[in-house]
Amino acid sequence: MEANHIIVRFGELTTKGKNRKLFTRKLLKNTKEILHDFTSLSYELTYDHIFILLNGEDPEKVSAKLKTVFGIHSFSLCYKVEHDLQKVKEAACKIVDEAEGTTFKINTKRSDKEFPMTSPEMNRAIAGYIFNMTKKENLKVDVHNPDILVKVEFRKDAAYVMDNVVMGAGGYPVGIGGKALLMLSGGIDSPVAGYLMMKRGIDIECIHYASPPYTNDLAREKVLDLLNVLKESAHGKIAVHIIPFTKLQLSVYDHCEESYAMTVMRRMMYRIAEGVARKRHCKAIVNGESVGQVASQTLDSMLTINSVITTPVIRPVACMDKLEIIDVAERIGTYDISIRPHEDCCTIFTPKKPATKPKTYKCEEFESQWDYATQVQECIDQMETIVVDANYKNDDEMDLF
């Protein structure tokens, strides 16, 4: 007997009250998009579950994709059988015989209260059948810490028998909370920040600052490869806006003291990001800043840099240390890409002694020496937009808007 269904549980979405339908429908839409390669699947959305009928698709391959869908608390491969206790007994015995372990527990839940037996009565009946029919020797019941937990759900339409609970990605469905613009450098922190934003239901587009010839195509390729990983948790595609930053960056270093160059450069980046965010209808700017990690991420620096824009800036990793961020990066598959030795525009001109407590008025004095606003607008007007989607390969030509 092979699993013929997957039952998906909502978790945090169940707290949404009157908005619950919006969240569950969005989750169903996202799930279908991420599983679009499995053309035989069919879906049923109920108040507290999504049921996926496999129709012959490989359950392990479907499960691997399903783990990446934000909004799913957990799911189980299960057997849908007729509303017949004998059929349930046979399915449960099959599960116990095929699973590893010598102790088991039956946990029955009756959504259909019209079924004549209570849950404890069914637990005993199913366990008794297993003891009589099992192929295993020395099989025992352990209600506290069983090797095999067989869950049975009696619903109006059928009974569902399962022995596994696979934890999902959690959070909210991507896109339910709007869209934000991620400042993606190619380092370790910003991809993790993007991942954590998607987990809270925020769709992302990205902005990347390129400074050729000081940055090369390998740095660009690294960013696209990072997005190729992140897209697995989105809707299957993510747009990135490549900003030609060389001219403006050189102007910053021509008109600023070395200690203030990084601060003024970040102020320019924020101005550009706000312009792109408005153009792309993004409601917030996101970055991978962690408090105190580098000179531009002290509270004084953040205050001075942030003052040039009014768009909200969200920093998902602000209170995480580097090891915590690395742990997440390794788990989601971005770490090995991020550590490739290809510099971005923030690292190629790093000053020897950057200001850690920069003053806003000093930044304004430096900025008054040239027409930076025109250069900021040129960066926005000349940006290149690339969509990393299911067809992406790092040696292929990319889709452009």
Side-chain angles (χ1 to χ4, degrees), residues 39-86:
T39 56
S40 298
L41 299 178
S42 57
Y43 303 83
E44 178 189 357
L45 175 63
T46 68
Y47 181 73
D48 52 1
H49 293 95
I50 294 174
F51 291 94
I52 303 175
L53 179 58
L54 291 170
N55 291 319
E57 296 283 5
D58 187 328
E60 297 303 322
K61 291 182 179 179
V62 175
S63 295
K65 280 283 189 180
L66 207 57
K67 290 178 184 178
T68 69
V69 182
F70 287 122
I72 293 178
H73 172 68
S74 67
F75 63 92
S76 296
L77 296 171
C78 62
Y79 308 91
K80 182 180 180 180
V81 299
E82 297 175 18
H83 236 187
D84 183 298
L85 185 58
Q86 181 61 30

Side-chain angles (χ1 to χ4, degrees), residues 356-386:
T356 57
K357 295 184 178 181
K359 306 301 180 184
T360 301
Y361 76 88
K362 290 198 68 173
C363 292
E364 291 171 346
E365 287 177 1
F366 294 129
E367 292 169 351
S368 68
Q369 297 178 27
W370 89 100
D371 182 15
Y372 69 82
T374 297
Q375 290 186 314
V376 166
Q377 190 58 48
E378 287 176 354
C379 288
I380 297 171
D381 293 340
Q382 295 171 13
M383 73 180 184
E384 175 191 11
T385 297
I386 299 173

Side-chain angles (χ1 to χ4, degrees), residues 314-330:
I314 302 175
R315 301 171 173 87
V317 301
C319 296
M320 298 171 66
D321 65 34
K322 198 66 177 183
L323 293 179
E324 291 172 324
I325 297 171
I326 289 173
D327 284 344
V328 178
E330 289 177 334

Side-chain angles (χ1 to χ4, degrees), residues 135-261:
K135 299 175 183 178
K136 289 187 174 181
E137 298 180 358
N138 303 319
L139 187 65
K140 298 179 181 179
V141 171
D142 184 344
V143 297
H144 300 295
N145 189 30
D147 298 327
I148 309 162
L149 175 61
V150 180
K151 297 172 69 70
V152 181
E153 292 192 20
F154 277 82
R155 305 180 68 84
K156 288 286 186 182
D157 60 327
Y160 296 84
V161 187
M162 67 207 82
D163 74 325
N164 56 78
V165 175
V166 181
M167 299 309 298
Y172 295 144
V174 175
I176 196 68
K179 183 170 65 172
L181 183 68
L182 171 66
M183 299 173 72
L184 186 63
S185 67
I188 297 170
D189 304 338
S190 54
V192 171
Y195 176 86
L196 295 176
M197 285 299 290
M198 288 192 291
K199 186 171 183 177
R200 300 315 298 162
I202 306 299
D203 210 349
I204 62 169
E205 291 190 6
C206 301
I207 183 170
H208 176 70
Y209 301 88
S211 295
Y214 304 101
T215 59
N216 57 31
D217 289 341
L218 292 176
R220 173 189 173 110
E221 179 182 296
K222 180 165 77 166
V223 167
L224 298 180
D225 286 347
L226 287 170
L227 291 181
N228 195 41
V229 174
L230 291 179
K231 75 172 171 48
E232 296 300 323
S233 298
H235 303 286
K237 63 181 180 180
I238 299 179
V240 57
H241 311 290
I242 309 293
I243 302 296
F245 196 53
T246 309
K247 182 178 177 180
L248 179 51
Q249 188 171 19
L250 291 175
S251 294
V252 169
Y253 283 88
D254 286 342
H255 294 93
C256 299
E257 293 178 2
E258 183 183 9
S259 62
Y260 267 75

